[in-house]
């Protein structure tokens, strides 16, 4: 069933099915990303009013979380860039953001990525992307297809209303996906959630 869900996601969003990973909510994917890529000597950056799962997962992995201050409750690219150090391994950014309801435009996301060393991963949480109707917005999938160091996260909890079933997915390079699969448990997502996900994503109307 997992293969059927991955194929359905790939078809719906015109993505490469070999780059899709599903998880027990995007929360689990955030956790396995930190477990796969962070050591106690490492740092990971997250924004001031971003998703609370970011600092928690960083802490559980034993690494140091570094806060980039928001400006007027909006994530600030310059503040994120200023926090990058030789110890930085991950940068977490929710765009659009919950709970502030704000988003960073495409040009700033591109500028942020261009300022990140190639050995630093940008974890781009696009859980609310379906709610944005703005040509200035980028969901992150094009960055994944072009670069090795971007992971896009998505969820079935919001638009599809499946929060209690716990179903999320990620889009990343095959190399990153391989590393994440080494950490993810073998029974991550239950069959009922996957079947509901297939039905939800195919129900365009």
């Amino acid at each position: 069933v997992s293969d059927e869900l991955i194929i359905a996601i790939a078809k719906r969003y015109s993505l490469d099915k070999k780059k899709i990973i599903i998880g027990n909510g995007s929360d689990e994917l955030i956790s396995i990303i930190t477990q796969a890529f962070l050591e106690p000597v490492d740092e990971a950056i997250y924004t001031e009013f971003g998703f609370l799962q970011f600092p928690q997962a960083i802490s559980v992995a034993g690494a140091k979380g570094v806060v980039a201050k928001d400006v007027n409750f909006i994530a600030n690219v310059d503040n994120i860039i200023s926090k990058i150090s030789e110890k930085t391994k991950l940068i977490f950014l929710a765009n659009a953001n919950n709970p502030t309801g704000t988003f960073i435009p495409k040009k700033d996301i591109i500028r942020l990525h261009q300022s990140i060393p190639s050995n630093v991963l940008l974890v781009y949480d696009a859980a609310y992307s379906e709610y944005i109707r703005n040509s200035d917005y980028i969901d992150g999938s094009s960055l994944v297809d072009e670069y090795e160091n971007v992971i896009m996260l998505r969820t079935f909890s919001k638009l599809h209303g499946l929060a209690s079933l716990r179903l999320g997915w990620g889009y990343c390079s095959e190399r990153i996906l391989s590393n994440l699969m080494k950490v993810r448990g073998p029974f991550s997502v239950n069959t009922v959630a996957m079947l509901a996900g297939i039905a939800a994503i195919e129900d365009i109307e």
Side-chain angles (χ1 to χ4, degrees), residues 53-74:
Q53 180 67 11
F54 299 154
Q56 182 183 36
I58 295 166
S59 177
V60 170
K64 178 183 178 183
V66 178
V67 183
K69 291 285 187 179
D70 288 4
V71 176
N72 295 326
F73 299 99
I74 301 173

Side-chain angles (χ1 to χ4, degrees), residues 95-106:
N95 200 39
N97 188 55
N98 173 30
T100 61
T102 57
F103 79 92
I104 302 175
K106 178 179 180 178

Side-chain angles (χ1 to χ4, degrees), residues 17-128:
K17 66 181 181 179
K18 292 181 291 185
K19 295 181 177 182
I20 295 171
I21 181 172
I22 58 175
N24 186 23
S26 57
D27 294 46
E28 182 196 34
L29 295 175
I30 292 165
S31 294
I32 67 173
I33 288 167
T34 59
Q35 292 168 31
F37 294 107
L38 292 179
E39 299 289 344
V41 295
D42 296 329
E43 294 180 354
I45 299 168
Y46 61 97
T47 58
E48 184 178 8
F49 298 113
F51 188 24
L52 291 177
Q53 180 67 11
F54 299 154
Q56 182 183 36
I58 295 166
S59 177
V60 170
K64 178 183 178 183
V66 178
V67 183
K69 291 285 187 179
D70 288 4
V71 176
N72 295 326
F73 299 99
I74 301 173
N76 184 272
V77 168
D78 291 320
N79 287 349
I80 296 171
I81 294 170
S82 73
K83 296 296 182 180
I84 298 174
S85 73
E86 292 182 357
K87 294 182 178 181
T88 305
K89 288 294 185 295
L90 300 174
I91 296 174
F92 286 99
L93 176 64
N95 200 39
N97 188 55
N98 173 30
T100 61
T102 57
F103 79 92
I104 302 175
K106 178 179 180 178
K107 62 180 177 60
D108 286 333
I109 295 299
I110 293 173
R111 181 167 68 88
L112 171 62
H113 182 264
Q114 289 174 342
S115 303
I116 296 174
S118 60
N119 66 319
V120 174
L121 289 178
L122 174 61
V123 184
Y124 190 85
D125 188 344
Y128 288 85

Side-chain angles (χ1 to χ4, degrees), residues 100-189:
T100 61
T102 57
F103 79 92
I104 302 175
K106 178 179 180 178
K107 62 180 177 60
D108 286 333
I109 295 299
I110 293 173
R111 181 167 68 88
L112 171 62
H113 182 264
Q114 289 174 342
S115 303
I116 296 174
S118 60
N119 66 319
V120 174
L121 289 178
L122 174 61
V123 184
Y124 190 85
D125 188 344
Y128 288 85
S129 63
E130 290 96 345
Y131 292 94
I132 301 179
R133 297 290 183 267
N134 192 307
S135 59
D136 270 349
Y137 178 74
I138 182 172
D139 73 2
S141 58
S142 59
L143 290 176
V144 172
D145 285 330
E146 191 169 353
Y147 303 103
E148 276 277 328
N149 64 334
V150 182
I151 304 173
M152 177 187 73
L153 299 179
R154 300 287 282 272
T155 182
F156 281 83
S157 295
K158 312 304 187 244
L159 178 72
H160 301 295
L162 301 182
S164 62
L165 283 181
R166 309 310 305 144
L167 184 60
W169 59 281
Y171 192 58
C172 57
S173 72
E174 292 182 60
R175 180 183 63 82
I176 290 175
L177 192 147
S178 176
N179 286 325
L180 295 180
M181 290 300 290
K182 295 173 184 176
V183 177
R184 198 192 75 159
F187 309 112
S188 170
V189 185

